[in-house]
Amino acid sequence: MRSRATAAATAAALACLLAGCGSSAGGDPGTVVYWDTSGAGESAVFTEIAQECGRTGGYAVDVQTVAFDQALNNFKTAAQGGQGPDVLRADVGWVAQLAQAGLIQDLSGTPLADTADFLPEPVASTRYDGKPYAVPQVTDTLALLYNERALAEAGVEPPRTWADLERIAPALGGDRAMFLNNDAFYALPFLYAEGGDLVDTGTRTITVDSPESVRGLSIAKDLIDSGAARTALDQTNSYGIMKAAFTSGEVAMVLDGPWVIPELSQSELFADGQNLGIAPVPGPGGPIGGHDYVLRQGSDATGNATKFVECMSSTANQAAIAERLGLLPTRRSAYDEPAVADHPVVSAFRPLVENTLPRAWIPEGNELLEPLKTAYAQVLAGHADAGTALDRTAGIYHETVLDGYTRR
């Protein structure tokens, strides 16, 4: 498979090397360097818990906040040079890629390999070639978030299907009914809507251009064309535009995950979580997401890093994170804690996570999203129909991403 190095990756690599990228191969085994890729509204809580883990565990913790969109390239560059953090908060889609590259540790035979208390959906993302390479931190999916007052005043219920959305949109002001975020992860519910997917890992077949996938992605454009939804053609700023439209009351519904709830709760319209409804994504379900802890291969602080991840992923700390941030635990036992069981966001999202559709946990999994992002933008803008855009996507998968996969 041909190289996919880009100027952006090179720039990120240079920045990483100039910055030192955390600990080195000759680092201090008594200090755990932790790269935290959480958002601005979450990092203070994770930092506080991380420091407490170090205090109670008898080791130092150096928490370094790293921008999520730069973390993967920076980690790969650093780890290839024997540098980088001892522990990385990795997106679930990164684990298989890092494991295949030999940049993170196989956790077999360590206390971190015990996943009996963890939910099966997030555990699936931690394995590569039948071995454990990560510990689930938080899990998530997309939900239909809605303005309860707006729907009540319009006399409508949250849509269960995309056809329902078209039906109720006039009562909500046409395209003020919903905003569609112009990004790949948010395209997946549409791809799944008619039984489509990106790949079939069992048969090693590219399915992103299947009739089911094409029909599903076409639904998004149909919603735009029918005046039942709007989007932003400015893909870079689409997410921010969507949040602004929702918190101002300009639109009544969006698709988003639990990570956005703390920010929404700071707005006047959804102060302290009031007036915010949470319902399943219309259709069969949404994609599973989340984050995992991984240990860098070659870390001199492996012993303390192992204790650190044990502490961070403990039932007590998962419960504390859920209570304070509304993020979903990955341990079953954490849901038994009263503060978690009674949390309105967690209790609303938990059944949605149990109904998620599986993703392809393969080394190339993360690379499947960028071509889909391009295709989705073309479809929403009317520059290509779903069939044409997804045919191009399948071609990119076959030529540059998926070695050994066949096209339909």
Side-chain angles (χ1 to χ4, degrees):
M1 186 165 56
R2 69 187 66 148
S3 172
R4 306 187 76 243
T6 64
T10 302
L14 178 60
C16 179
L17 290 173
L18 291 175
C21 288
S23 65
S24 68
D28 178 7
T31 299
V32 175
V33 177
Y34 171 51
W35 275 12
D36 175 36
T37 61
S38 65
E42 303 167 347
S43 60
V45 173
F46 284 117
T47 296
E48 179 185 325
I49 293 174
Q51 298 292 358
E52 183 61 23
C53 282
R55 282 191 290 271
T56 58
Y59 51 87
V61 177
D62 178 8
V63 180
Q64 300 180 6
T65 301
V66 180
F68 176 80
D69 59 356
Q70 299 175 19
L72 178 59
N73 282 334
N74 284 357
F75 180 83
K76 288 193 293 185
T77 300
Q80 287 164 357
Q83 297 182 321
D86 303 297
V87 178
L88 168 70
R89 176 186 181 266
D91 181 88
V92 290
W94 302 349
V95 176
Q97 178 185 158
L98 295 174
Q100 183 191 56
L103 300 179
I104 57 176
Q105 296 185 30
D106 175 2
L107 304 179
S108 300
T110 75
L112 301 180
D114 181 4
T115 58
D117 186 37
F118 288 84
L119 300 172
E121 295 86 357
V123 166
S125 73
T126 68
R127 305 190 72 80
Y128 172 69
D129 200 21
K131 298 177 181 179
Y133 281 88
V135 175
Q137 184 205 44
V138 293
T139 187
D140 61 53
T141 190
L142 294 174
L144 180 76
L145 306 185
Y146 63 95
N147 181 330
E148 291 181 339
R149 187 159 53 247
L151 267 65
E153 290 174 353
V156 298
E157 297 290 330
R160 295 180 178 273
T161 67
W162 295 116
D164 285 345
L165 176 59
E166 286 200 47
R167 178 179 54 80
I168 68 173
L172 292 166
D175 72 348
R176 296 186 61 179
M178 188 165 192
F179 192 109
L180 303 182
N181 185 29
N182 192 348
D183 201 7
F185 191 68
Y186 295 75
L188 291 176
F190 291 104
L191 214 68
Y192 297 159
E194 295 290 325
D197 208 337
L198 302 179
V199 296
D200 182 333
T201 57
T203 62
R204 296 178 69 81
T205 303
I206 295 167
T207 61
V208 70
D209 60 340
S210 69
E212 295 82 3
S213 296
V214 171
R215 288 199 303 270
L217 200 65
S218 297
I219 293 173
K221 186 60 165 64
D222 290 343
L223 292 173
I224 301 294
D225 290 345
S226 69
R230 64 176 65 176
T231 189
L233 299 184
D234 177 4
Q235 195 172 54
T236 300
N237 297 306
S238 176
Y239 187 62
I241 295 170
M242 178 182 73
K243 287 190 295 182
F246 188 51
T247 55
S248 69
E250 187 178 345
V251 297
M253 292 177 283
V254 297
L255 297 183
D256 217 339
W259 57 83
V260 77
I261 305 299
E263 185 175 349
L264 297 182
S265 298
Q266 295 175 13
S267 69
E268 183 178 350
L269 189 59
F270 303 112
D272 299 321
Q274 300 299 309
N275 193 40
L276 179 65
I278 302 173
V281 170
I288 190 166
H291 292 85
D292 299 331
Y293 296 109
V294 298
L295 274 63
R296 178 174 59 84
Q297 187 68 265
S299 164
D300 288 325
T302 292
N304 283 326
T306 298
K307 291 193 293 183
F308 174 73
V309 173
E310 281 188 283
C311 179
M312 292 291 287
S313 61
S314 68
T315 297
N317 281 332
Q318 286 207 7
I321 290 167
E323 180 181 5
R324 297 175 64 179
L325 296 175
L327 300 179
L328 276 69
T330 56
R331 284 187 177 273
R332 292 184 179 90
S333 56
Y335 288 93
D336 296 330
E337 297 294 320
V340 178
D342 297 336
H343 195 288
V345 175
V346 175
S347 59
F349 268 91
R350 186 182 182 185
L352 307 187
V353 167
E354 293 173 350
N355 195 42
T356 53
L357 300 177
R359 289 167 61 187
W361 303 121
I362 55 177
E364 304 88 352
N366 195 59
E367 295 179 77
L368 300 178
L369 295 180
E370 193 63 31
L372 178 63
K373 180 178 179 178
T374 300
Y376 193 41
Q378 292 172 341
V379 171
L380 292 181
H383 295 157
D385 60 56
T388 300
L390 293 180
D391 178 70
R392 292 173 186 161
T393 304
I396 294 170
Y397 285 1
H398 188 248
E399 293 296 323
T400 67
V401 180
L402 293 166
D403 189 20
Y405 276 67
T406 60
R407 294 195 61 174
R408 299 170 40 259

